[in-house]
Amino acid sequence: MTAKSFGMGAACLLTLVLACSPAHANWIDTFDGGFDQPWIFGNSPTSSTFSAVSVGNVLRVEDPTPVFSGGSAFGFGYVNETFSNVRVSGSVNPNNLNNVNSDHTLLARANPSVLSAYALTLDYRNDATGNLQGTVVLSRIDPGAVTNDLVIESIGDSDSFYLEFDVFGSTLTGRVYDQPGGTLLKTVSASDSAFASGVSGVAASADFFDEPLLAEFDNVASSVISAAHFDVTIQPSADSNDIVWTVKWDSLNGIPADDFDSYPWDAMDPTTGDVVATDPWGNAVRDLYFDGIGAPFGPAYSSGANRGFGDGIGNVISDPFGWGVGPDYDSGVSNNDDLFIFNTLLDSAAPFPTSGEFVLTVPGANLSHYNLGTYTNNPFVTVTVTDTPYIAPVPEPSTFALLGLGSFLLIGYGWRNKRCMNQRDRQSRTFNSPRSDRP
């Protein structure tokens, strides 16, 4: 979304003063046969040929008249529900139009009355050969329609995509997928604290004033998101010979972008804390860093320097494969209040999984290197060290297996019931039939 487009929309947007309600309600619009939500649309400059309509089960923002001929350069729409921590999502260019030269934008924490918003934009342009090219732009639109691009990433040849735009606290994260629930193609993130709340919506702007405005959206939604949370439990194995780490997380919402990084990791001896293998997983292992968690680790684990337990080294077992943990990292300072979670299969360019779970069995360790207790100093992670032995969960029969067993039992019951009925029927016929020896 370009600064020129927002600037030309100022006259229109300033007339729209939001009556922001204190409550918020999640919403979605599929545009199937019309509008599901009470959208508020606007455009600039004013043009009699501009339209924002539901057509073919998508939202089309369009002005067939180029700007130089009196058409609109900018169009927008929003639903008047106020959000703070929010995910805005939707498909852009869902019909794979190849004549699109307009920015497709999702808006979060927008305030049209003062021209401010966070924006995740897919900038469509045709290259010299006519192929449609896309660029992802994460930006802050300041009051007065001044655009500050925070991140710009190219995604090459492009057509239809699904966008997710998370704004949690001061963390902005944009994700580009090939389709809803499909392959993640690009992640962009930044930190910014200019806007605390606002409405959600969409916007489109023409890149060139000698071309018409055209953008399409589908399945646009806005919903409240909660903070990410990691639960880490450290306990002895059932035979007390090993230490078992259980790590679960539900999202990455709100975790600062600079807490994700890549380092070479050394494998650590679980009894002494010494290095037993240097960079056994390569030179760039993807990790997530939690600072100030408390003091669950003893002196043996305070050597720092990116040491940890990871799969395949020193008989450490990760389920699923690829995970590891780094207890503490303070460059030799023994305050034992940090935690790293890393994946040996992800390189520096790969995104950290947005949710997951793994169990790490560290052989030959014991609780003397840990401090019993529950540690909640860091808002994103709870570390529990307990002497209660770990018991592996027993897999439950699948639904299909239960259905199959039920069907088998029903068939068996039906066969048995039919057999019994046939026996009773034969007995009945025998008893009631006339006998030649009766008087």
Side-chain angles (χ1 to χ4, degrees):
M1 188 174 296
T2 58
K4 65 176 184 296
S5 299
F6 272 95
M8 296 194 69
C12 175
L13 288 174
L14 283 173
T15 63
L16 300 172
V17 179
L18 294 178
C20 295
S21 60
H24 48 244
N26 297 345
W27 58 263
I28 183 172
D29 204 323
T30 63
F31 308 108
D32 292 345
F35 294 111
D36 302 323
Q37 303 298 329
W39 286 85
I40 300 173
F41 292 106
N43 66 295
S44 182
T46 301
S47 168
S48 61
T49 55
F50 172 83
S51 63
V53 296
S54 171
V55 55
N57 297 329
V58 301
L59 168 62
R60 176 176 292 177
V61 179
E62 180 180 21
D63 195 330
T65 305
V67 178
F68 284 160
S69 300
S72 295
F74 171 65
F76 70 95
Y78 66 91
V79 177
N80 195 19
E81 293 283 350
T82 302
F83 293 85
S84 178
N85 297 324
V86 64
R87 168 173 292 175
V88 187
S89 59
S91 297
V92 295
N93 196 25
N95 289 322
N96 297 317
L97 302 178
N98 59 12
N99 60 335
V100 174
N101 265 347
S102 298
D103 296 347
H104 291 56
T105 298
L106 299 182
L107 300 173
R109 294 186 184 175
N111 187 344
S113 67
V114 296
L115 303 180
S116 66
Y118 290 123
L120 178 66
T121 298
L122 196 58
D123 184 355
Y124 284 105
R125 299 189 187 189
N126 290 106
D127 63 15
T129 63
N131 292 326
L132 198 62
Q133 300 290 313
T135 300
V136 182
V137 183
L138 184 59
S139 57
R140 182 186 72 239
I141 313 302
D142 288 324
V146 178
T147 303
N148 292 280
D149 293 335
L150 304 176
V151 181
I152 300 177
E153 296 278 354
S154 175
I155 56 175
D157 291 346
S158 56
D159 39 40
S160 175
F161 294 101
Y162 180 75
L163 305 183
E164 283 184 351
F165 187 21
D166 292 353
V167 181
F168 189 95
S170 61
T171 301
L172 286 63
T173 305
R175 303 181 186 91
V176 183
Y177 298 83
D178 61 345
Q179 60 183 340
T183 302
L184 178 63
L185 304 177
K186 181 75 69 173
T187 299
V188 292
S189 60
S191 295
D192 192 89
S193 57
F195 312 132
S197 63
V199 299
S200 305
V202 300
S205 59
D207 276 323
F208 304 101
F209 287 172
D210 58 347
E211 295 184 354
L213 173 67
L214 175 61
E216 289 187 342
F217 304 86
D218 197 12
N219 296 316
V220 178
S222 181
S223 59
V224 176
I225 56 175
S226 57
H229 192 76
F230 283 66
D231 285 308
V232 179
T233 302
I234 303 170
Q235 58 193 134
S237 59
D239 59 10
S240 298
N241 292 329
D242 310 316
I243 292 296
V244 179
W245 291 60
T246 304
V247 182
K248 302 179 182 179
W249 67 101
D250 52 10
S251 74
L252 301 180
N253 298 335
I255 297 178
D258 56 4
D259 283 0
F260 300 91
D261 218 323
S262 297
Y263 292 100
W265 278 85
D266 296 334
M268 184 171 66
D269 186 312
T271 59
T272 65
D274 297 333
V275 173
V276 296
T278 302
D279 298 346
W281 303 289
N283 293 324
V285 175
R286 198 76 165 113
D287 58 40
L288 171 58
Y289 167 63
F290 293 112
D291 189 19
I293 63 173
F297 311 118
Y301 296 159
S302 63
S303 55
N306 294 353
R307 299 178 187 179
F309 313 124
D311 59 72
I313 305 298
N315 295 321
V316 174
I317 300 173
S318 170
D319 182 20
F321 191 78
W323 289 100
V325 294
D328 194 41
Y329 171 68
D330 289 294
S331 299
V333 179
S334 301
N335 57 4
N336 306 347
D337 68 345
D338 303 329
L339 171 66
F340 279 86
I341 297 171
F342 62 87
N343 190 293
T344 64
L345 303 181
L346 300 176
D347 61 25
S348 59
F352 198 91
T354 56
S355 63
E357 176 180 353
F358 67 88
V359 177
L360 194 72
T361 302
V362 183
N366 58 67
L367 282 181
S368 66
H369 296 310
Y370 302 86
N371 300 316
L372 295 178
T374 300
Y375 304 88
T376 58
N377 291 14
N378 188 293
F380 297 109
V381 61
T382 296
V383 179
T384 302
V385 182
T386 176
D387 54 9
T388 302
Y390 171 77
I391 299 177
V394 178
E396 296 182 1
S398 69
T399 302
F400 288 108
L402 290 174
L403 288 175
L405 177 60
S407 299
F408 176 78
L409 292 175
L410 286 173
I411 292 172
Y413 175 80
W415 176 84
R416 182 179 181 278
N417 189 49
K418 182 178 180 181
R419 183 171 178 270
C420 292
M421 290 179 64
N422 289 338
Q423 289 176 343
R424 289 195 297 270
D425 187 54
R426 286 197 299 271
Q427 292 171 354
S428 176
R429 289 198 300 269
T430 301
F431 179 80
N432 294 318
S433 62
R435 291 179 56 181
S436 57
D437 59 346
R438 286 182 180 175

